[in-house]
């Protein structure tokens, strides 16, 4: 099981770094500073994200993390939670920290997804893991509220 989680984390970390780089390039390619181009820019980010999600399912299958589609979807769900929770963290200007954070978030999501989709894991541990993920959202909101106020 730990080998499966490690392979999933490694694949997802690499895809996270690739996602970060392609989104940065796409955002720079749009190169506008007003609200008029926000919709196409966000549309490009969504398209890149969906393409990498589909690709991750194939890559996960290739490294023997099956079912790849299910693991990729679970990782996407975990990434949404991690993104919401990440809003409570302070921002930084370093691109190196940004790319490491993206890789770490994707790796964590891959490991969580491999864990909750593993057939040998008892149902109670899957429920505890999912409840822990869900609990991140109100904790992050409370941290943001305490830090920034309403």
């Amino acid at each position: 099981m730990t080998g499966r989680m490690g392979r999933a984390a490694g694949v997802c970390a690499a895809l996270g770094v690739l996602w970060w780089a392609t989104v940065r390039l796409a955002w720079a390619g749009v190169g506008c500073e007003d609200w008029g181009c926000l919709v196409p820019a966000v549309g490009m980010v969504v398209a890149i994200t969906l393409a990498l999600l589909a690709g991750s399912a194939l890559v996960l299958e290739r490294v023997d993390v099956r079912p790849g589609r299910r693991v990729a979807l679970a990782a996407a769900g975990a990434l949404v939670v991690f993104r919401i929770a990440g809003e409570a963290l302070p921002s930084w200007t370093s691109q190196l920290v940004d790319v490491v954070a993206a890789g770490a978030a994707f790796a964590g999501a891959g490991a969580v997804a491999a864990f909750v989709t593993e057939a040998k894991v008892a149902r109670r541990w899957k429920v505890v893991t999912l409840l822990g993920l869900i609990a991140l959202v109100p904790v992050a909101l409370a941290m943001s509220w305490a830090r920034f106020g309403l």
Side-chain angles (χ1 to χ4, degrees), residues 8-141:
V11 165
C12 289
L15 288 172
V17 172
L18 179 62
W19 175 85
W20 179 86
T22 54
V23 165
R24 296 282 296 184
L25 287 173
W27 201 263
V30 170
C32 68
E33 298 296 326
D34 63 1
W35 289 98
C37 61
L38 184 62
V39 172
V42 171
M44 253 193 304
V45 170
V46 169
I48 290 168
T49 303
L50 291 175
L52 282 176
L53 175 64
S56 71
L58 298 172
V59 175
L60 287 166
E61 286 280 341
R62 300 262 319 181
V63 298
D64 204 27
V65 179
R66 292 188 176 89
R69 215 174 325 160
R70 208 166 129 212
V71 175
L73 287 173
L79 275 170
V80 169
V81 172
F82 290 164
R83 177 67 181 125
I84 292 169
E87 288 298 316
L89 299 174
S91 61
W92 47 77
T93 58
S94 170
Q95 288 186 0
L96 178 62
V97 173
D98 205 21
V99 73
V100 168
F106 273 72
V112 166
F115 181 78
V116 299
T117 58
E118 174 63 52
K120 297 174 186 171
V121 173
R123 184 180 197 101
R124 71 178 174 274
W125 291 114
K126 292 178 184 183
V127 170
V128 166
T129 302
L130 291 175
L131 289 174
L133 267 178
I134 293 168
L136 279 177
V137 175
V139 167
L141 290 174

